[in-house]
């Protein structure tokens, strides 16, 4: 079978670089970054990339030497990464199962650029939509667009889930220092009614705008929340209140559904089917970000994304930061046996980055079917992505990172400068970030452990518990300051890393069929949860649970 781009897919594990990497992995033994370093500073320099003056990506604590890196890059070439990058930017339908382009990069392109989808340049439409969003955002922020009673909007509730929530939520929180003068922005995603009720509890419906974000406008959780929030607006303002429609905004690729729901066309903002939900924060989906920080900072975010796009598109593979990160990730997971990947922002404002990347990465590459429809049985695809901010994680799961039996490759994200004025806090934070990646790589051998125990006056019998194996891989991304532009670069970096890995594994990073079965079954089970008939074909365990559920609900 051929792929959409016409070439016969090659067997990944049979190709020469893959075989060479297997051999290299079998020869590596206990050798890791620590041994590869020796005492040379030069390795740090050689294995760091500085794609922009104020962003350093240091791969030197990864278990790669020149030879391994060379073969990893040969694998990237063998898997057609350069061509894949070109295909993405050319708007080719690389999302083969849905017959679509994956052209989120077009959302970040300047007016004078062009990006073709099915023979049409989409850039004019992208900028026309951005201009509408911009006018609306400025209208709300300046007080020109007012609530039904003529007062200013003080609060915005963004209702969406998955890509219609995680990106806007993460960015809005990360850019907190840039929030000035606009309404407060809240996010509701879960169909657990607690999410909506606890959010609305503190708000005044006469001062609140509800922004319903859903690419499809049929997602059950979002529509359930949207209907309830709309009812709350109607109750609080009066059904016939003139201007009530200004309290409701819709963002969707399906305007008809939004208008049917009750949004007016002037407050309905579009996106396109060639933008995947988890890649959509750069589109109208980011309207809540813009409402919080204003259009100028939103534009800076896009600019940062664009800069990373340019780097990704035009930089040779050996200097290309997303490509290197992707290939080193493949080395760790496919050849050295790592199953997970930890994202460790030493930056409180990036608290939600791990959750954001869980969708970006796991919904993209958590697949076991190749582009050509065949099953993947001979290798692993996307890792489990997880993480938490430092230093909190140190007091929770770092024990396992340092001394557990599993190797967990990690990304440390560190800002050189803070925005809060508590310099000493920041210095301590950064020292911890550096110390953790240092400890993970350097470890502590038996002799050193014994010396520590003796010095502390403890029984030497516990010395073995104080050994750190070391050689636990990590990448450090050090940036000058978490500006909107820097954040844009970081997000685009991860998007491209994910794309490269997906291409190497030969999966479609842009569909998400794996979320469908559960959705269908939930619809079938809802009547049973509500007391109706239990589906005859439900499995015995589910029927058993439904039995107990009904018993408990009837006595509630
Ligand atoms: O269920 C998965 C998913 O389709 C995600 O890919 C998407 O981001 C999310 O649901 C929300 O979808 P929508 O924006 O259409 O409501």
């Amino acid at each position: 079978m051929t792929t959409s781009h016409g070439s016969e897919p090659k067997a990944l594990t049979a190709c020469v670089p893959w075989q060479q990497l297997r051999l290299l992995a079998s020869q590596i033994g206990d050798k890791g970054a620590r041994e590869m370093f020796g005492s040379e500073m030069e390795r740090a320099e050689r294995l760091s990339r500085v794609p922009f003056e104020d962003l350093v990506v240091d791969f030197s604590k990864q278990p790669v030497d020149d030879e391994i890196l060379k073969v990893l890059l040969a694998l990237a070439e063998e898997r057609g990464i350069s061509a894949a990058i070109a295909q993405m930017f050319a708007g080719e339908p690389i999302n083969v199962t849905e017959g679509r382009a994956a052209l989120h990069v077009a959302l970040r392109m300047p007016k004078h650029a062009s990006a073709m989808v099915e023979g049409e340049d989409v850039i004019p439409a992208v900028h026309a939509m951005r201009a509408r969003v911009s006018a609306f955002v400025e209208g709300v922020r300046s007080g020109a667009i007012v609530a039904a009673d003529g007062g200013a909007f003080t609060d915005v509730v963004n209702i969406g889930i998955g890509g219609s929530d995680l990106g806007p939520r993460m960015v809005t929180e990360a850019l907190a220092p840039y929030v000035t003068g606009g309404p407060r922005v809240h996010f509701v995603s879960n169909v657990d009614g607690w999410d909506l009720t606890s959010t609305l509890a503190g708000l005044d419906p006469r001062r609140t705008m509800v922004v319903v974000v859903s690419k499809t406008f049929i997602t059950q959780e979002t529509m359930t929340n949207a209907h309830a929030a709309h009812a709350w607006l109607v109750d609080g303002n009066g059904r016939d209140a003139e201007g009530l429609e200004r309290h409701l905004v819709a963002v969707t690729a399906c305007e008809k559904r939004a208008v049917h729901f009750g949004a007016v066309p002037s407050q309905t903002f579009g996106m396109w089917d060639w933008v995947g939900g988890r890649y959509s924060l750069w589109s109208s989906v980011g309207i809540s970000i813009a409402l919080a920080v204003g259009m100028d900072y939103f534009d800076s975010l896009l600019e940062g994304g664009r800069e990373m796009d340019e780097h990704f598109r035009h930089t040779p593979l050996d200097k290309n930061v997303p490509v290197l990160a992707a290939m080193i990730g493949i080395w760790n997971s496919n050849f050295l046996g790592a199953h997970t990947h930890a994202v460790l922002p030493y930056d409180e404002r990036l608290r939600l980055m791990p959750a954001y990347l869980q969708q970006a990465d796991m919904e993209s590459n958590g697949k076991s079917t190749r582009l050509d429809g065949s099953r993947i049985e001979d290798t692993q695809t996307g890792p489990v992505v997880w993480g938490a901010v430092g230093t909190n994680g140190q007091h929770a799961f770092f024990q396992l990172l340092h001394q557990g039996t599993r190797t967990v490759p990690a990304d440390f994200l560190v800002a050189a400068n803070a925005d809060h004025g508590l310099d000493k806090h920041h210095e301590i934070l950064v020292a911890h970030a550096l110390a953790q990646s240092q400890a993970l790589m350097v470890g502590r051998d038996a002799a050193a452990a014994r010396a520590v125990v003796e010095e502390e006056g403890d029984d030497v019998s516990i010395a073995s518990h104080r050994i750190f194996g070391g050689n636990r891989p990590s990448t450090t991304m050090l940036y000058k300051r978490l500006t909107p532009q820097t954040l844009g670069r970081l997000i685009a970096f991860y998007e491209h890393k994910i794309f490269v890995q997906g291409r190497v594994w030969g999966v479609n990073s842009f569909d998400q069929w794996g979320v469908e079965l559960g959705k269908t079954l939930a619809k079938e089970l809802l009547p049973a949860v509500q007391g109706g008939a239990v589906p005859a074909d439900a499995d015995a365990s589910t029927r058993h649970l439904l039995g107990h559920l009904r018993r408990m609900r009837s006595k509630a």
Side-chain angles (χ1 to χ4, degrees), residues 161-164 214-216 219 222 277-278 359 363 512 515 519:
I161 198 164
S164 298
S214 177
K215 181 177 171 183
T216 55
T219 302
T222 297
R278 54 194 175 275
Q359 187 202 16
E363 203 173 73
Q512 56 283 320
V515 302
K519 284 185 196 173

Side-chain angles (χ1 to χ4, degrees), residues 53-56 174-175 177-178 345-350 413-431 433-434 477-484 486-487 490:
E53 204 192 350
D54 45 10
L55 174 65
V56 175
L175 297 185
Y178 298 86
Y346 274 67
D347 195 327
E348 182 66 23
R349 288 183 284 147
L350 293 181
L413 308 183
V414 188
N417 299 285
D419 291 303
H420 47 59
L422 297 175
D423 282 352
K424 184 164 176 215
H425 284 66
H426 194 66
E427 287 153 13
I428 293 171
L429 178 77
V430 172
L434 295 176
M477 303 221 263
L478 177 66
Y479 42 89
K480 190 169 176 184
R481 191 178 285 286
L482 189 63
T483 61
T486 299
L487 183 61
L490 291 176

Side-chain angles (χ1 to χ4, degrees), residues 50-283:
V50 188
F52 313 103
E53 204 192 350
D54 45 10
L55 174 65
V56 175
V57 185
D58 181 353
F59 297 111
S60 68
K61 293 189 178 80
Q62 293 286 354
V64 290
D65 57 18
D66 289 345
E67 189 183 5
I68 295 166
L69 217 46
K70 201 168 110 209
V71 187
L72 283 169
L73 293 171
L75 177 64
E77 287 291 8
E78 168 83 25
R79 300 301 288 170
I81 294 306
S82 303
I85 295 171
Q87 284 167 355
M88 180 167 78
F89 281 89
E92 288 188 27
I94 56 174
N95 177 355
V96 289
T97 59
E98 297 179 309
R100 297 170 183 167
L103 204 53
H104 40 283
V105 291
L107 301 168
R108 315 190 275 244
M109 287 182 186
K111 256 190 185 148
H112 58 79
S114 79
M116 308 300 284
V117 175
E118 292 172 4
E120 192 190 326
D121 186 358
V122 297
I123 296 300
V126 166
H127 280 269
M129 188 57 72
R130 177 112 36 85
R132 278 193 59 214
V133 169
S134 177
F136 179 75
V137 164
E138 294 310 337
V140 174
R141 288 174 56 85
S142 68
I145 296 176
V146 289
D149 67 359
F153 284 108
T154 57
D155 294 89
V156 166
V157 178
N158 187 98
I159 294 180
I161 198 164
S164 298
D165 167 73
L166 290 162
R169 191 194 285 256
M170 183 272 286
V171 171
T172 303
E173 183 165 320
L175 297 185
Y178 298 86
V179 170
T180 46
R184 287 179 293 265
V185 177
H186 315 263
F187 291 88
V188 170
S189 54
N190 201 343
V191 75
D192 183 332
W194 188 253
D195 198 3
L196 185 69
T197 50
S198 63
T199 303
L200 297 186
L203 303 181
D204 178 352
R206 290 164 305 169
R207 292 280 155 276
T208 302
M209 174 179 282
V210 170
V211 179
V212 182
V213 185
S214 177
K215 181 177 171 183
T216 55
F217 234 74
I218 51 171
T219 302
Q220 189 185 37
E221 297 95 317
T222 297
M223 296 322 299
T224 305
N225 278 326
H227 280 288
H230 191 234
W232 175 78
L233 286 176
V234 170
D235 276 0
N237 286 280
R239 178 164 299 280
D240 301 323
E242 203 182 314
L244 179 60
E245 73 282 357
R246 291 196 296 272
H247 289 249
L248 183 66
V249 171
V251 178
T252 184
C254 189
E255 190 178 349
K256 249 208 298 207
R257 288 189 189 131
V259 171
H260 181 71
F261 172 76
V264 290
S266 60
Q267 297 210 161
T268 300
F269 299 95
M271 59 188 290
W272 300 271
D273 68 0
W274 43 264
V275 182
R278 54 194 175 275
Y279 299 93
S280 67
L281 69 88
W282 322 91
S283 70

Side-chain angles (χ1 to χ4, degrees), residues 317-529:
L317 300 191
D318 65 335
K319 299 199 171 52
N320 194 312
V321 172
V323 172
L324 287 166
M327 299 314 296
I328 291 171
I330 284 173
W331 174 239
N332 280 323
S333 70
N334 291 104
F335 298 94
L336 303 182
H339 287 113
T340 80
H341 181 92
V343 178
L344 309 172
Y346 274 67
D347 195 327
E348 182 66 23
R349 288 183 284 147
L350 293 181
R351 192 177 59 97
L352 299 178
M353 189 63 127
Y356 169 77
L357 288 177
Q358 280 181 327
Q359 187 202 16
D361 199 317
M362 294 162 80
E363 203 173 73
S364 296
N365 287 340
K367 315 266 162 82
S368 48
T369 307
R370 293 190 189 88
L371 286 161
D372 67 358
S374 60
R375 300 281 303 163
I376 298 175
E377 276 154 4
D378 54 353
T379 189
Q380 301 290 337
T381 58
V384 174
V385 175
W386 62 289
V389 282
T391 61
N392 297 11
Q394 292 173 202
H395 301 272
F397 54 80
F398 271 52
Q399 166 65 39
L400 183 149
L401 300 191
H402 286 290
Q403 289 189 316
T405 53
R406 301 166 195 277
T407 300
V408 181
D411 289 348
F412 287 86
L413 308 183
V414 188
N417 299 285
D419 291 303
H420 47 59
L422 297 175
D423 282 352
K424 184 164 176 215
H425 284 66
H426 194 66
E427 287 153 13
I428 293 171
L429 178 77
V430 172
H432 275 285
L434 295 176
Q436 291 299 324
S437 66
Q438 181 183 15
L440 285 167
M441 179 179 76
V442 175
R444 180 195 277 156
D445 65 15
R450 195 186 165 99
V452 169
V453 170
E454 281 172 356
E455 197 184 313
E456 291 177 3
D458 275 335
D459 190 323
V460 289
S461 67
I462 68 154
S464 59
H465 296 272
R466 309 285 301 265
I467 295 171
F468 291 69
N471 276 334
R472 313 238 157 170
S474 71
T475 295
T476 297
M477 303 221 263
L478 177 66
Y479 42 89
K480 190 169 176 184
R481 191 178 285 286
L482 189 63
T483 61
Q485 191 179 1
T486 299
L487 183 61
R489 290 170 177 173
L490 291 176
I491 299 169
F493 158 83
Y494 278 111
E495 288 180 348
H496 297 323
K497 173 195 164 189
I498 291 164
F499 173 55
V500 171
Q501 292 192 329
R503 264 313 171 100
V504 171
W505 290 317
V507 299
N508 178 7
S509 300
F510 301 107
D511 62 11
Q512 56 283 320
W513 300 106
V515 302
E516 293 303 326
L517 178 59
K519 284 185 196 173
T520 307
L521 293 177
K523 285 203 180 109
E524 286 172 21
L525 289 174
L526 181 59
V529 171

